[in-house]
């Protein structure tokens, strides 16, 4: 029995494959095109910056995830240290980002269908109109969302056995695309014909968030949420995230390099990088170069890549919403688990309905990617503050994985997340913040039901975040022109202001932490950790020696 129990645990290879399966979704199909339109050849740098941002943020959550190995943990960490209001804001922001991810994968598949070149498939050409999903295309998107949901409705692990296979396939097609496009249509002059940075250095940062680069990399919480189900988690959680992110950087940078070099120079000379307009970027390039067989593979992969990501995130999103019920600011029926299949079916259905509404409002891949990136960053801002606060408030808590250099990495990640939220550009930043604030009526309704007993105290732990959201909204408006602002604070002075003020909010956030029943609840979860489970397991050779 002991042997069988250990055999169920996931090894490093499976963790890396799981991470890659989540990271390599629709981002590779559209990200290079979107980024090159914003920054030109300098978009290569944008992908590196995006990876640094996500890597720095993930650094903080590795320690938190090991301390609280619970389902939907990302929705609870902030509440443990700063009370229910901040916990609600962080959980709602995280949920908004996840629930938006479901329709974006459906949009990606539908958009590639909209450019099928075959005669029998002309009926799909009406799916995209002026770069957005049409009403006919919306119907197809709805069907994809329904399929994503149904595949999780009976079992959250339905496709778990095929994760490694899907990951290898999802890796193979991008690599094959890179090789074939470089061999068939490399135009080195594209990197300099209009300048390496045709739209200035500010565009490099803008592309990082506005073009879906942050969105493309963001999947590390899938690994963290698995916690002690991983073999040698003390070693493999951090290593799995690092390896999967490193492989992703190589793939995404190579894809960006390939896209820039494969564009026909005559087309580039006419319209510039801003004017490059593709519905199915890499498939369109393959057809232009006469690689029709590669285009067919790409159209096929436009189902596989978004499909694998969409299905996996339906499960995670439903558990995130169900976890918010435990914070006592969401209706209890959302957290009800199906006894037979072990999935929160009602939460799953609610997420499906919200996904349909979101895609009806935001009908393009680029817009949805920007919404996901910004809401994710706002949710992640609480991580560096929370992990640092716990070091001071609860030094005796069990920490299976204790990250070094946290004193530097926590404020560094907070500043990077602040800058990246600003890079989303006005008015996207403010729109996402307003969507996040739309969740507050739920919070205040449940506070009213408890006669406002602890509301004032909860505000004490959250004033810093409320002030921060006001600051980043105002900064987005008065900031420099490259980021959609009024240029009252020109570039790069706007970056200096954000860095200084963000560090002040970071310090304010740490000083706002408070000891409450939420911290007691955190201790209950933390006490359940078996530190022996996080120790390195002996190899087969060592077992034989023993």
């Amino acid at each position: 029995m002991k042997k069988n129990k250990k055999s169920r645990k996931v090894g490093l290879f499976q963790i890396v494959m799981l991470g890659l399966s989540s990271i390599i979704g629709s981002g590779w199909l559209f990200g290079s095109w979107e980024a090159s339109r914003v920054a030109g050849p300098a978009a290569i740098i944008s992908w590196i910056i995006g990876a640094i941002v996500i890597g720095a943020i993930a650094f903080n959550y590795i320690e938190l995830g090991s301390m609280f190995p619970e389902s939907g943990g990302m929705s609870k960490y902030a509440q443990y240290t700063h009370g229910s209001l901040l916990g609600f804001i962080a959980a709602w922001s995280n949920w908004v980002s996840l629930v938006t991810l479901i329709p974006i994968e459906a949009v990606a598949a539908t958009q590639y269908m909209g450019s099928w070149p075959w005669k029998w498939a002309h009926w799909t050409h009406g799916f995209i109109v002026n770069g957005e999903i049409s009403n006919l295309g919306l119907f197809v998107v709805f069907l994809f969302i329904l399929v994503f949901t149904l595949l999780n409705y009976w079992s959250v692990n339905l496709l778990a056995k095929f994760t490694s296979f899907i990951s290898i396939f999802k890796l193979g097609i991008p690599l094959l695309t890179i090789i074939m496009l470089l061999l068939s249509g490399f135009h080195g002059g594209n990197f300099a014909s209009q300048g390496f940075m045709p739209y200035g250095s500010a565009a490099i940062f803008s592309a990082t968030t506005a073009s879906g680069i942050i969105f493309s990399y963001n999947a590390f919480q899938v690994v963290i949420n698995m916690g002690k189900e991983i073999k040698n988690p003390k070693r493999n959680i951090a290593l799995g995230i690092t390896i999967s992110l490193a492989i992703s950087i190589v793939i995404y940078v190579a894809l960006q390099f390939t896209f820039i070099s494969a564009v026909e120079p005559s087309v580039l000379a006419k319209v510039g990088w801003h004017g490059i307009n593709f519905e199915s970027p890499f498939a369109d390039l393959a057809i232009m170069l006469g690689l029709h067989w590669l285009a067919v593979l790409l159209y096929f992969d436009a189902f596989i890549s978004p499909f694998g990501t969409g299905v996996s995130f339906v499960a995670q999103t439903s558990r995130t919403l169900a976890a918010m019920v435990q914070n006592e600011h969401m209706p209890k029926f959302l957290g009800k688990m199906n006894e037979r299949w072990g999935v929160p079916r009602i939460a799953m259905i609610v997420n499906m309905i919200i996904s349909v509404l979101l895609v009806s409002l935001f009908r393009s891949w680029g817009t949805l990617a920007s919404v996901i990136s910004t809401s994710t960053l706002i949710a992640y801002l609480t991580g560096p503050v929370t992990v640092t606060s716990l070091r001071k408030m609860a030094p005796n808590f069990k920490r299976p994985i204790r990250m070094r250099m946290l004193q530097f990495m926590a404020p560094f990640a907070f500043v990077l997340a602040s800058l990246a939220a600003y890079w989303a550009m006005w008015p996207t930043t403010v729109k996402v913040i307003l969507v996040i604030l739309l969740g507050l009526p739920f919070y205040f309704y449940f506070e009213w039901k408890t006669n406002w007993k602890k509301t004032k105290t909860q505000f004490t732990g959250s004033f810093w975040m409320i002030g921060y959201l006001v600051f980043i909204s105002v900064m987005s408006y008065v900031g420099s022109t490259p980021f959609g602002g009024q240029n009252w604070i020109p570039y790069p002075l706007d970056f200096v202001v954000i860095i200084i003020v963000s560090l002040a909010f970071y310090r304010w956030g740490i000083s706002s932490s408070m000891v409450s029943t939420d911290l007691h609840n955190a201790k209950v979860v933390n006490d359940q950790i078996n530190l022996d489970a996080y120790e390195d397991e002996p190899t087969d050779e060592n077992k034989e020696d023993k």
Side-chain angles (χ1 to χ4, degrees):
M1 290 296 293
K2 201 170 183 179
K3 185 177 181 182
N4 290 338
K5 186 176 179 180
K6 286 186 178 180
S7 67
R8 294 194 193 104
K9 288 194 174 185
V10 180
L12 179 60
F13 176 77
Q14 288 86 357
I15 284 296
V16 172
M17 289 297 102
L18 176 65
L20 288 172
S21 178
S22 301
I23 293 172
I24 309 296
S26 62
W28 90 267
L29 295 168
F30 293 97
S32 298
W33 166 60
E34 293 275 4
S36 63
R37 293 178 68 195
V38 175
I44 291 173
I45 302 174
S46 302
W47 286 98
I48 297 173
I49 293 173
I52 293 172
V53 172
I54 291 298
I57 293 170
F59 183 94
N60 296 270
Y61 279 95
I62 290 172
E63 180 169 319
L64 285 171
S66 69
M67 290 177 67
F68 309 109
E70 53 186 331
S71 178
M74 295 283 290
S75 300
K76 302 174 184 177
Y77 303 148
Q79 180 158 336
Y80 290 154
T81 56
H82 289 76
S84 62
L85 179 53
L86 184 67
F88 180 86
I89 293 172
W92 183 269
S93 302
N94 189 42
W95 174 73
V96 168
S97 68
L98 291 174
V99 79
T100 310
L101 195 145
I102 299 170
I104 198 175
E105 299 302 324
V107 166
T110 304
Q111 189 161 334
Y112 261 70
M113 286 178 65
S115 63
W116 279 353
W118 306 290
K119 290 183 179 180
W120 60 266
H122 284 178
W123 59 277
T124 65
H125 294 180
F127 291 173
I128 305 294
V129 177
N130 297 324
E132 293 190 342
I133 298 292
S134 66
N135 291 333
L136 177 62
L138 271 181
F139 178 74
V140 179
V141 170
F142 295 163
L143 287 178
F144 273 112
I145 294 173
L146 178 63
V147 172
F148 293 165
T149 303
L150 291 178
L151 284 173
N152 282 276
Y153 192 77
W154 287 282
S155 175
V156 75
N157 296 315
L158 186 62
L159 297 179
K161 295 181 180 179
F162 304 101
T163 298
S164 296
F165 169 76
I166 293 174
S167 300
I168 293 171
F169 183 85
K170 289 168 70 174
L171 285 172
I173 299 300
L175 291 174
L176 181 63
T177 300
I178 291 168
I179 294 170
M180 294 311 302
L181 291 183
L182 287 177
L183 289 175
S184 303
F186 179 76
H187 305 289
N190 287 354
F191 290 90
S193 61
Q194 300 197 10
F196 183 72
M197 294 189 296
Y199 308 117
S201 59
I204 295 173
F205 301 104
S206 177
T208 303
T209 304
S211 300
I213 291 175
I214 293 291
F215 152 72
S216 298
Y217 282 126
N218 179 37
F220 67 85
Q221 57 179 292
V222 175
V223 176
I224 289 175
N225 285 341
M226 295 191 68
K228 54 188 178 182
E229 298 304 316
I230 299 172
K231 291 180 182 177
N232 300 339
K234 193 171 183 178
R235 166 183 175 267
N236 288 343
I237 290 178
L239 194 58
I241 292 173
T242 301
I243 293 174
S244 59
L245 188 58
I247 294 174
S248 301
I249 294 171
V250 174
I251 292 174
Y252 277 126
V253 169
L255 283 165
Q256 186 66 71
F257 179 88
T258 301
F259 183 87
I260 291 167
S261 63
V263 175
E264 185 62 39
S266 59
V267 174
L268 186 59
K270 291 180 182 178
V271 299
W273 290 108
H274 275 338
I276 299 295
N277 191 18
F278 292 130
E279 289 185 3
S280 308
F282 282 106
D284 291 344
L285 282 175
I287 291 173
M288 288 172 60
L289 295 171
L291 301 172
H292 294 280
W293 63 270
L294 179 60
V296 172
L297 276 179
L298 286 165
Y299 286 127
F300 181 62
D301 188 66
F303 283 99
I304 298 297
S305 290
F307 195 88
T309 306
V311 169
S312 64
F313 272 92
V314 162
Q316 185 172 335
T317 306
S318 61
R319 291 188 177 275
T320 298
L321 184 58
M324 291 173 68
V325 175
Q326 299 174 27
N327 297 347
E328 299 182 352
H329 286 91
M330 277 288 171
K332 290 184 178 180
F333 68 84
L334 291 176
K336 186 176 181 181
M337 301 290 289
N338 180 271
E339 294 182 3
R340 181 179 179 185
W341 301 108
V343 294
R345 284 184 166 182
I346 297 176
M348 210 170 278
I349 294 171
V350 170
N351 284 335
M352 182 180 71
I353 295 171
I354 298 298
S355 297
V356 167
L357 293 175
L358 281 170
V359 77
S360 299
L361 293 173
F362 305 107
R363 296 195 178 195
S364 73
W365 187 92
T367 304
L368 287 167
S370 189
V371 169
I372 292 171
S373 299
T374 310
S375 56
T376 299
L377 290 165
I378 292 172
Y380 286 164
L381 280 165
T382 60
V385 173
T386 298
V387 71
T388 306
S389 297
L390 281 168
R391 288 275 183 99
K392 295 182 177 181
M393 299 169 64
N396 296 325
F397 272 28
K398 297 176 183 177
R399 287 175 171 81
I401 303 175
R402 187 180 179 93
M403 303 302 288
R404 299 178 181 178
M405 296 179 61
L406 189 69
Q407 290 182 340
F408 168 77
M409 290 300 296
F412 180 64
F414 191 93
V415 167
L416 287 182
S418 299
L419 287 168
Y422 174 71
W423 299 338
M425 301 177 63
W426 175 274
T428 302
T429 305
V430 175
K431 285 182 178 179
V432 173
I433 290 174
L434 288 175
V435 170
I436 291 170
L437 294 179
L438 285 175
L440 290 180
F442 287 98
Y443 178 84
F444 290 118
Y445 170 74
F446 284 95
E447 286 295 297
W448 169 74
K449 287 188 70 175
T450 58
N451 296 317
W452 313 98
K453 287 182 180 179
K454 300 179 181 179
T455 307
K456 185 178 179 180
T457 305
Q458 303 307 322
F459 266 101
T460 302
S462 307
F463 271 132
W464 70 272
M465 174 57 83
I466 296 170
Y468 174 86
L469 293 177
V470 173
F471 160 71
I472 205 70
S473 299
V474 172
M475 194 64 202
S476 182
Y477 180 75
V478 304
S480 59
T481 303
F483 301 97
Q486 298 297 308
N487 209 41
W488 296 354
I489 305 177
Y491 171 81
L493 184 60
D494 50 350
F495 282 25
V496 176
V497 172
I498 289 174
I499 291 171
I500 294 173
V501 177
S502 293
L503 286 173
F505 275 108
Y506 169 75
R507 292 298 175 189
W508 184 8
I510 294 173
S511 65
S512 299
S513 59
M514 57 186 186
V515 176
S516 65
T517 54
D518 293 306
L519 187 63
H520 173 73
N521 295 336
K523 188 177 187 308
V524 172
V525 176
N526 185 254
D527 284 343
Q528 296 174 4
I529 294 175
N530 178 11
L531 290 177
D532 292 337
Y534 281 83
E535 293 301 323
D536 292 346
E537 295 174 4
T539 61
D540 291 337
E541 292 180 2
N542 291 335
K543 287 178 184 177
E544 290 176 3
D545 292 339
K546 288 185 179 181

